[in-house]
């Protein structure tokens, strides 16, 4: 199977070749550099002969994500050497640990607010984004998002979003400006095919919440046994550089909470291929009105497990509850 070759890639490889050659003309070129130059030349030859991007063992297309990460790869995942497979596995476990380190602390309190979350990658790393940042004066920022795609590429974009929001929040921008700026940077630095749905909120000590929902699933506002969906107010991040984002304004009373989730919950399928769905989630939350926020997350997970039965977990799952405790 032939792959479509990105013309930019050839340019990039030629650039690398030039840089390598410059290093090699020094007094004592290392064997490693010479080996790399040979690999670049071989990749260029494969481009000329039309075999670039094909596994040298099975001749199937190499996974595009891996090829993008390492343009010199010549084997698909199935045909890596045992040593290469072990190295890849070590990398993935390290990536998982780094991603875990980016998560907020579940059960943390900020003035009258308390947050709980559940973060569960489908594989070793997740494309879901979940963060909470202290806004001072008893307030907080909370973010829950879902980057398009899965695996390592999505996890890289997720960590990009994490850094971006952390930086913009520390600049003290108002929420709409925050999301507009994040969108612009995300647009300018991300491949055209990638985007992220996201809910970003600011909760203040008085119980007011300002919410921006960029194409994400509607959070649930839980007030006693009343459950209301807060609809999306815009397109996902990364679609258009200049788009603007509308805000929703809510007020939470003591005991109320906001439940945010990714499609790993509502689009999970049972054995027969039926989706879990927003209606089932709404009913479940309404019937669990006495539960604490931590218990509510546990109830959701248990119901999802019961619904899914033996069907495989296909998507990353994240749940975030923001509740007013005082
Ligand atoms: Zn192969």
């Amino acid at each position: 199977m032939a792959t479509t070759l990105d013309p930019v890639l050839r340019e990039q490889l030629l650039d690398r070749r030039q840089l390598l050659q410059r290093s090699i003309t020094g007094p004592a070129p290392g064997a490693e550099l010479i080996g790399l130059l040979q690999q670049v030349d071989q990749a260029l030859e494969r481009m000329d002969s039309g075999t670039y991007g094909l596994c040298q063992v099975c001749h199937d297309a190499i996974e595009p994500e891996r090829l993008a990460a390492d343009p010199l790869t010549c084997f698909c995942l199935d045909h890596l050497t045992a040593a290469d497979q072990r190295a890849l596995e070590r990398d993935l476990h390290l990536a998982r640990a780094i991603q875990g380190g980016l998560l907020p602390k579940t059960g943390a309190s900020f003035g009258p607010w308390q947050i709980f979350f559940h973060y569960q990658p489908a594989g070793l790393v997740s494309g879901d984004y979940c963060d909470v940042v202290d806004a001072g004066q008893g307030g907080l920022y909370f973010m829950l998002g879902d980057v398009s795609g899965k695996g390592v590429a999505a996890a890289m974009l997720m960590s990009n979003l994490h850094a971006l929001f952390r930086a913009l929040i520390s600049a003290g921008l108002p929420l709409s400006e925050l999301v507009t700026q994040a969108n612009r940077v995300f647009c300018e630095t991300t491949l055209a095919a990638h985007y992220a749905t996201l809910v970003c909120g600011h909760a203040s000590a008085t119980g007011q919440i300002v919410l921006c929902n960029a194409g994400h699933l509607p959070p649930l506002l839980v007030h006693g046994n009343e459950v209301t969906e807060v609809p999306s107010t815009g397109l996902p991040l990364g679609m258009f550089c200049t788009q603007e984002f509308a805000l929703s304004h809510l007020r939470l009373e003591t005991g109320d909470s906001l439940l945010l989730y990714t499609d790993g919950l509502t689009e999970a399928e049972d054995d027969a291929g039926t989706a879990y769905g927003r209606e089932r989630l709404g009913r479940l939350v309404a019937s669990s009105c006495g539960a604490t926020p931590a218990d509510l997350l546990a109830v959701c997970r248990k119901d999802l497990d019961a619904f899914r039965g033996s069907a495989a977990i296909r998507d990353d799952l994240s749940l975030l509850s923001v509740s007013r405790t005082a």
Side-chain angles (χ1 to χ4, degrees), residues 127 129 144-148 161 186 195-199 213-217 235-237 261-263:
Y129 163 51
L144 189 81
D146 185 354
V147 171
S148 59
L161 270 186
F186 195 69
Y195 61 89
T197 67
L198 169 90
V199 176
N213 183 341
H216 196 77
L217 289 157
L235 291 169
L237 249 59
Y261 54 93
T262 56
D263 59 6

Side-chain angles (χ1 to χ4, degrees), residues 59-77:
H59 309 295
D60 270 348
I62 296 169
E63 300 77 10
E65 287 177 10
R66 291 186 47 249
L67 205 57
D70 178 8
L72 303 181
T73 312
C74 1
F75 301 101
C76 74
L77 268 183

